[in-house]
Amino acid sequence: MTNPSIDIIVPVWNSPFETRACLAAILRHSPGARMIIVDNGSSRETELMLEEFSEPLGEQGLFMKSERNIGLVPAINRGLARSDGDLAVIVRPHVLVTPGWLDALRTAAQDASVGIVSPVFSGSGASQRLAINSRYDCPFIETFSVSFSALLLKSEMRMQTGCFDEGLDSGEWCLIDYIRRAWSKGYRTGVTSRSRLVCGQEPVFGSDARRKSQARVSWEHYREQWGISRHYGVYFGADTDVAALADAMETIREGSRRGHRFTLLLHRRQAREFRRCGWNCLHTGIDQIRLSMLMPHRDLVRKIGALRESAPEMIMVRWNDDASAAGMEMAIPFAEVAAALRNA
């Protein structure tokens, strides 16, 4: 993609001072991009500020207004519907963009198979759920952990995938559903550590009970549509040659793209070879735990116990019968997991 055109969509609801700072940073650090500002039923004070800010933009800006707050996802969809750029980037007002942020996102989107790209977030509003995105040794890594705080979408992908589902929540499940729909069309979702944004506290709307209810309904919808996401703990055994695991790692990456999580328990030599192969940067849904070089089997038992305590739903998996160890008595064969993923 050569010099793709970019629209930056900013959904706004009140917070005039924070919003002005966000818009000013976008204007300063995003040369050549068009800004689409969606006023989602803000107060008169915010509306006047947005009109004042938008007027000098000319053809490089579009100001849209709703008379009432229609919700975050509908506001984003309205902005996306007016985007005719090759790339559309959502930025919410509690985020401050930084120098080079847009070029890094655009570079990551040059791969034809990439449809969605997230930056890395820092600051007081960077959620713990997105902390996994900060794998500094991975310039680009596939992920399921993205946020409406800032997100790039490729237009050709949007034409096939459609808009965000307005019946779901305005966060995790709406986004995961969209990522699954994009992958069903052949588009990957990733995060680039070369684009870094500062994230303030995200405004919270509605009661806690209502948000939990909406999240539960959204999860049930996702489960009906895409099935249950599982967490697998995989031990390959001390003597397994990493060269024999190429097909298995491709199966694991495919499972991660479908929302499953994998925790791999690796001996020191295996961990070193995984890094050499680039398998530490396949997907943020794949965690790697390195076992101690001294008394590794004792460390394996200890780490399995800790994992079972923190994630009791995790299913232990052994590569083959030779990979059995204390704590792995109830583990299922990897071939059984691979077959289940193929038939899903």
Side-chain angles (χ1 to χ4, degrees):
M1 186 182 294
T2 303
N3 296 323
S5 56
I6 301 177
D7 289 330
I8 299 175
I9 298 161
V10 186
V12 177
W13 186 74
N14 294 332
S15 303
F17 298 108
E18 183 180 52
T19 299
R20 178 181 281 278
C22 170
L23 295 174
I26 291 173
L27 196 60
R28 182 163 60 252
H29 299 307
S30 315
R34 183 175 70 143
M35 200 180 304
I36 300 177
I37 301 172
V38 184
D39 181 7
N40 196 15
S42 297
S43 65
R44 182 59 177 162
E45 177 188 9
T46 303
E47 180 185 8
L48 289 172
M49 182 276 293
L50 294 175
E51 291 174 349
E52 178 186 355
F53 187 93
S54 302
E55 187 174 356
L57 297 179
E59 294 184 355
Q60 289 302 107
L62 174 64
F63 179 56
M64 305 171 61
K65 177 168 177 59
S66 172
E67 295 301 323
R68 61 181 181 86
N69 189 333
I70 59 176
L72 174 63
V73 176
I76 289 172
N77 281 338
R78 283 194 63 190
L80 290 172
R82 296 296 299 272
S83 171
D84 56 11
D86 298 311
L87 305 172
V89 184
I90 301 162
V91 178
R92 294 188 63 194
H94 62 282
V95 170
L96 288 176
V97 303
T98 57
W101 77 286
L102 196 55
D103 285 341
L105 291 178
R106 178 166 39 202
T107 298
Q110 287 179 346
D111 189 313
S113 68
V114 174
I116 305 172
V117 184
S118 169
V120 167
F121 298 99
S122 63
S124 62
S127 71
Q128 187 64 33
R129 185 173 62 86
L130 300 179
I132 195 172
N133 288 0
S134 299
R135 293 191 186 179
Y136 299 107
D137 55 346
C138 303
F140 180 86
I141 182 170
E142 290 187 57
T143 189
F144 248 69
S145 298
V146 300
S147 168
F148 278 126
S149 294
L151 199 62
L152 177 145
L153 308 172
K154 193 177 287 183
S155 62
E156 62 187 57
M157 180 271 300
R158 291 194 292 115
M159 290 178 63
Q160 298 182 55
T161 306
C163 59
F164 292 103
D165 190 333
E166 297 177 7
L168 300 180
D169 62 359
S170 58
E172 180 179 7
W173 295 109
C174 180
L175 287 163
I176 292 177
D177 170 76
Y178 196 79
I179 290 170
R180 290 297 303 268
R181 286 158 54 197
W183 176 240
S184 73
K185 302 297 182 181
Y187 289 97
R188 298 186 294 146
T189 297
V191 55
T192 173
S193 60
R194 291 173 176 165
S195 181
R196 299 180 178 277
L197 277 63
V198 180
C199 191
Q201 291 294 329
E202 181 178 346
V204 177
F205 306 113
S207 68
D208 185 58
R210 182 177 179 181
R211 289 193 302 273
K212 288 181 178 178
S213 174
Q214 182 64 51
R216 184 173 62 254
V217 170
S218 299
W219 174 78
E220 290 173 352
H221 173 88
Y222 176 87
R223 184 183 60 181
E224 291 175 3
Q225 181 71 21
W226 302 108
I228 297 174
S229 298
R230 302 193 183 279
H231 184 182
Y232 297 99
V234 184
Y235 176 60
F236 295 109
D239 299 325
T240 300
D241 188 349
V242 169
L245 298 178
D247 289 343
M249 289 309 298
E250 189 55 40
T251 297
I252 287 172
R253 174 160 62 175
E254 179 62 26
S256 298
R257 288 167 171 166
R258 299 181 186 180
H260 300 296
R261 287 183 58 199
F262 294 85
T263 299
L264 312 183
L265 295 147
L266 305 175
H267 288 272
R268 188 182 184 90
R269 173 184 55 82
Q270 293 170 336
R272 185 172 59 249
E273 288 298 301
F274 268 54
R275 183 175 293 274
R276 186 184 62 80
C277 294
W279 293 346
N280 60 310
C281 292
L282 293 180
H283 199 287
T284 61
I286 305 172
D287 291 320
Q288 298 180 14
I289 296 178
R290 189 171 67 177
L291 301 173
S292 172
M293 187 170 60
L294 299 174
M295 295 184 290
H297 290 287
R298 179 180 294 183
D299 191 40
L300 173 66
V301 172
R302 184 177 63 83
K303 284 187 166 65
I304 289 175
L307 285 169
R308 283 178 166 161
E309 185 174 343
S310 62
E313 79 287 353
M314 187 176 64
I315 301 169
M316 294 306 302
V317 180
R318 66 178 187 275
W319 174 238
N320 52 39
D321 290 337
D322 294 334
S324 297
M328 297 287 293
E329 293 83 1
M330 302 300 293
I332 63 174
F334 183 85
E336 184 175 324
V337 175
L341 292 174
R342 284 195 300 268
N343 297 329

